Amino acid sequence: MAQLSGQIAVVTGASSGVGRAIALALAREGATVALVARREAELEVVAQAARDAGGDAKSFPTDLADDGEIAALVEHLQSFPGIDVLVHSAGTYARGPVEEAPVEDLDRQYRINVRAAYQVTRHLLPMLRRRRGQVVFINSSAGLNARQHVSQYASTKHALKALADSLRDEVNADGIRVLSVFLGRTATPLQAAIHGMEGRPYRPDRLVQPEDVAAMVLSALCLPRTAEVTDINIRPLAKPG
């Protein structure tokens, strides 16, 4: 029997990369998945793949930088009786030294990487409480260790860790589990773009695979309720050559 049969999951950033892989993994385990991202056509491709995998999925095209669209998303999700799993995988990235990086880049990263996750979570908490749900924040190794030229991005990921840690302390008593997943370089379209910014060749076979991340998340979600996984760190395995 599928481990998540009858459960309802919401996944942001579901059109590609890690979000897509997690959404499909949830669908394969019988969950109904609400797919959230900006591009409707790409969401529909994922929705069909989820149905082909034996689950069910619905597309909710949403620009998470827009408060009005977040409000509309929350209203649409009220049609579900509750939410069992909320996965925050949406994110954006910009780089540059502190002296030169435009503050507008910081504002956009904060809005999508932190503020949107905060807004969606706070509005959906009543639905999560009804089902003793689980919240997953897909974070980055930059959320633990900031390096040069990523001060803006790392700041938002540090903030996302703080949000998860504080939320966990607030909602554990309600039976809600909260997980942060700190990823090293992962083979996604965003990582391909980052390699381009850095002027480095992109070799996805040397990076963490999105399906590996999905497998770890699924394992944590399906853990018996006698325990909680709070933090997972995943990085590429060094390869010779």
Side-chain angles (χ1 to χ4, degrees):
M1 181 177 176
Q3 298 183 84
L4 301 178
S5 180
Q7 294 201 18
I8 297 167
V10 177
V11 181
T12 72
S15 61
S16 65
V18 171
R20 180 183 188 277
I22 292 174
L24 293 179
L26 293 169
R28 281 192 292 270
E29 289 301 326
T32 295
V33 187
L35 306 169
V36 181
R38 285 182 299 129
R39 297 179 291 273
E40 184 173 9
E42 293 183 20
L43 282 181
E44 281 303 317
V45 172
V46 180
Q48 187 57 57
R51 297 182 196 109
D52 293 344
D56 191 18
K58 299 180 180 180
S59 298
F60 294 89
T62 306
D63 181 355
L64 292 172
D66 187 313
D67 281 349
E69 293 202 23
I70 289 177
L73 169 66
V74 171
E75 185 175 351
H76 291 318
L77 293 175
Q78 300 303 313
S79 62
F80 292 113
I83 293 172
D84 299 280
V85 178
L86 170 59
V87 179
H88 294 290
S89 189
T92 191
Y93 175 93
R95 62 182 284 111
V98 171
E99 188 175 16
E100 299 173 9
V103 71
E104 291 80 10
D105 288 351
L106 173 61
D107 291 342
R108 178 164 179 78
Q109 289 174 93
Y110 166 74
R111 194 166 191 89
I112 295 174
N113 297 352
V114 184
R115 192 176 187 276
Y118 185 95
Q119 282 282 73
V120 171
T121 301
R122 68 189 292 267
H123 286 304
L124 297 184
L125 269 178
M127 300 182 74
L128 286 158
R129 284 194 175 96
R130 282 178 220 157
R131 309 281 282 250
R132 296 177 68 242
Q134 306 186 71
V135 185
V136 180
F137 293 89
I138 301 301
N139 206 308
S140 164
S141 58
L144 300 172
N145 183 24
R147 302 195 177 190
Q148 66 175 352
H149 298 167
V150 294
S151 62
Q152 295 182 349
Y153 178 74
S155 294
T156 66
K157 292 302 184 178
H158 278 274
L160 192 64
K161 178 185 184 301
L163 171 58
D165 290 346
S166 185
L167 176 68
R168 184 183 303 110
D169 205 39
E170 293 175 10
V171 300
N172 266 178
D174 299 320
I176 297 174
R177 300 194 295 199
V178 179
L179 168 65
S180 286
V181 183
F182 299 94
L183 299 181
R185 295 195 174 228
T186 305
T188 65
L190 176 60
Q191 190 58 235
I194 291 172
H195 274 67
M197 295 176 198
E198 296 172 341
R200 301 173 57 186
Y202 178 60
R203 298 185 61 180
D205 59 304
R206 290 178 171 265
L207 306 180
V208 175
Q209 300 302 302
E211 293 75 18
D212 298 335
V213 179
M216 289 301 299
V217 169
L218 192 65
S219 178
L221 291 174
C222 294
L223 190 72
R225 288 294 181 135
T226 50
E228 175 185 34
V229 179
T230 59
D231 302 276
I232 297 176
N233 292 271
I234 306 177
R235 67 179 186 180
L237 180 64
K239 297 180 181 179

